[in-house]
Amino acid sequence: MGRPAKFTREQLQQAALALVDADGLSGLTMRALASRLETGAMTLYNYVSQREELEMLVVEAVLGKVRWETDDRLPWHEALEDIAIALWRVIRDHPHVIPLILTKRSRSPAVFEVTEALLHTLAQSGRSGARLLVGFRAVSALIMGAAQAELAGPLTLQADESPDDTIARFQALPADRFPHLIEIATAATASDAETEFRASLSLLIDGLRADAPAAQA
């Protein structure tokens, strides 16, 4: 009989995700993971053999946290909203993982599950084929883009700068040249990420409902 496994897959996933959360994708190495698990790098080769497997561990660790209700009695747009918000919340907590989700989505069963759930709700609107694809791309782009916007958007904080200082910097721009940029900077003082995402999602869903077959809207 072989020796029992020293680490569970969940332990490997959580340790790998912690590295990415702390140090970004560049921090995900076999040596760093071994150090976090207090073992030798060679030991880890019994579990993962290459970087792609490390990256898959991280993707599965994040998407495995997404929880949603499956209830076909709900109107399709309400079910879509529930899944999209659940997915956004999890991804927002781990924004460094977004590039991995985008590049590994064709290989991860965890991606398949939540993708199929989103597609199921959109299919209930009467969409199929290319229209189903376009609807899905629109929803997934909003989820990923909104999560990334806090890191890379126009109001992103600079190093050692407070939120108030960042907003004040935009408000100090010449008003005749940048009136709308100043306007959204000011609006940001009374906004928060989830409120903005929900509002953006509502706009998108309104468009999807308007474009759905009349009987399904």
Side-chain angles (χ1 to χ4, degrees):
M1 295 179 62
R3 290 180 296 177
K6 187 174 182 179
F7 303 108
T8 65
R9 187 169 184 81
E10 183 178 1
Q11 286 175 314
L12 295 171
Q13 288 175 345
Q14 294 308 315
L17 178 58
L19 287 173
V20 174
D21 284 344
D23 302 316
L25 294 179
S26 62
L28 183 63
T29 66
M30 196 73 82
R31 180 171 295 180
L33 182 59
S35 176
R36 189 169 191 91
L37 291 169
E38 299 182 344
T39 190
M42 294 305 297
T43 299
L44 291 184
Y45 283 101
N46 294 318
Y47 302 88
V48 290
S49 60
Q50 54 187 339
R51 181 175 177 86
E52 182 171 346
E53 293 182 33
L54 283 180
E55 293 174 344
M56 290 297 293
L57 286 174
V58 173
V59 171
E60 291 172 5
V62 171
L63 294 185
K65 296 181 179 183
V66 184
R67 298 288 183 270
W68 65 88
E69 295 294 331
T70 301
D71 187 350
D72 285 341
R73 295 171 298 179
L74 282 177
W76 69 267
H77 49 90
E78 292 183 14
L80 175 64
E81 182 178 40
D82 288 347
I83 299 169
I85 291 172
L87 180 56
W88 172 80
R89 283 174 174 165
V90 168
I91 291 175
R92 181 183 178 242
D93 287 341
H94 308 282
H96 293 304
V97 182
I98 292 175
L100 294 185
I101 294 173
L102 293 174
T103 57
K104 305 299 179 186
R105 55 189 169 186
S106 66
R107 298 174 180 269
S108 169
V111 174
F112 300 161
E113 292 291 341
V114 70
T115 297
E116 184 63 27
L118 283 171
L119 288 169
H120 177 70
T121 63
L122 285 166
Q124 289 182 313
S125 73
R127 288 173 169 79
S128 62
R131 293 183 71 198
L132 181 61
L133 173 64
V134 170
F136 169 72
R137 289 197 190 282
V139 174
S140 58
L142 175 60
I143 293 168
M144 298 295 180
Q148 284 185 308
E150 290 180 75
L151 292 181
L155 299 183
T156 299
L157 301 180
Q158 301 298 308
D160 301 321
E161 185 176 59
S162 72
D164 288 342
D165 288 342
T166 300
I167 290 170
R169 180 160 49 83
F170 281 96
Q171 290 175 326
L173 292 170
D176 58 330
R177 294 178 57 195
F178 305 106
H180 299 302
L181 186 52
I182 294 170
E183 183 178 357
I184 67 167
T186 301
T189 62
S191 185
D192 64 82
E194 179 148 345
T195 298
E196 289 182 19
F197 177 72
R198 284 178 174 271
S200 298
L201 183 61
S202 291
L203 286 174
L204 177 56
I205 289 176
D206 285 348
L208 291 169
R209 293 183 70 185
D211 183 56
Q216 303 294 331

